[in-house]
Amino acid sequence: LQVNPGLSRAILMRSMISAEEGRTNDAISDLQTLLRNEPNKPDLLVQLASYYMVDSRPRKAIGILDRLIEKDKGFWQAFRTRADALLSVGKHAEAVRDYEQALKLNPESTNILNNLSWVLATSPDDKVRDGKRSIELATKACELTDYNMPHILSTLGAGYAESGDFETAIKWSSKAVKLGREQENPQVEQ
């Protein structure tokens, strides 16, 4: 960047490094610089929205994603990211709609399957919860990951708990904790 200050790939890399180091404002600033030259580049807009979410500004992220989705209804990443942002502001029903749309566009995404399943199992809104659908989605995510992702096993357990099958819920939750320990992922146990 000292030799070529406008090199977009270098600015993007610096943005990613800044975000990884917790310097979200620097990461956002770099992406805004890039977007001045390419204001409608979908990948950059989704990345910027993600940085705003990390920076505890989900409404700012939602605004960016609203505009992006308005222009491109086929960009699943925008629906998935907006769903995450909607969850963080308590709009669970809207988040479910966005996860469903993202899933239509990318039906094999284990992240979308897992996140949608989790909301359907754990939402504080009774109208949003759907244990049967949660189990269906989490089971598919587990199959796609060979039952080797503790957080997805935990989601499957939550789906069974929502459905009232506590014995099966305990079984999957226990497997999630055990696998989390094996993979040195203490967050699952917590």
Side-chain angles (χ1 to χ4, degrees), residues 13-46:
M13 180 63 71
R14 183 175 64 191
S15 172
M16 295 165 78
I17 292 168
S18 294
E20 186 67 29
E21 292 179 345
R23 295 180 291 111
T24 312
N25 284 334
D26 292 339
I28 289 169
S29 178
D30 277 337
L31 278 184
Q32 289 171 331
T33 297
L34 292 173
L35 284 163
R36 278 193 278 283
N37 295 329
E38 298 181 82
N40 297 314
K41 189 161 184 183
D43 293 345
L44 293 179
L45 290 167
V46 169

Side-chain angles (χ1 to χ4, degrees), residues 31-108:
L31 278 184
Q32 289 171 331
T33 297
L34 292 173
L35 284 163
R36 278 193 278 283
N37 295 329
E38 298 181 82
N40 297 314
K41 189 161 184 183
D43 293 345
L44 293 179
L45 290 167
V46 169
Q47 189 66 50
L48 180 61
S50 296
Y51 289 164
Y52 278 124
M53 287 179 52
V54 169
D55 200 42
S56 300
R57 294 190 272 173
R59 285 179 174 76
K60 185 101 170 150
I62 291 167
I64 291 167
L65 296 163
D66 285 347
R67 291 187 297 278
L68 176 57
I69 288 169
E70 193 174 297
K71 292 177 185 175
D72 184 355
K73 302 250 188 280
F75 197 60
W76 68 265
Q77 296 93 328
F79 284 101
R80 190 268 171 146
T81 305
R82 186 172 70 177
D84 293 342
L86 288 165
L87 277 183
S88 69
V89 297
K91 295 185 176 186
H92 291 214
E94 291 177 41
V96 166
R97 282 193 293 275
D98 273 3
Y99 282 134
E100 291 285 8
Q101 184 60 35
L103 193 59
K104 284 180 189 173
L105 297 167
N106 188 1
E108 302 293 305

Side-chain angles (χ1 to χ4, degrees), residues 109-154:
S109 169
T110 58
N111 289 327
I112 297 168
L113 289 162
N114 184 69
N115 289 8
L116 176 54
S117 175
W118 183 258
V119 176
L120 294 174
T122 65
S123 176
D125 184 346
D126 292 342
K127 295 175 192 160
V128 171
R129 286 195 315 276
D130 181 345
K132 182 180 177 188
R133 177 96 167 111
S134 174
I135 292 168
E136 171 190 314
L137 295 165
T139 299
K140 182 175 180 180
C142 285
E143 289 168 353
L144 289 169
T145 58
D146 295 323
Y147 291 83
N148 199 31
M149 300 298 289
H151 70 286
I152 296 176
L153 295 177
S154 174

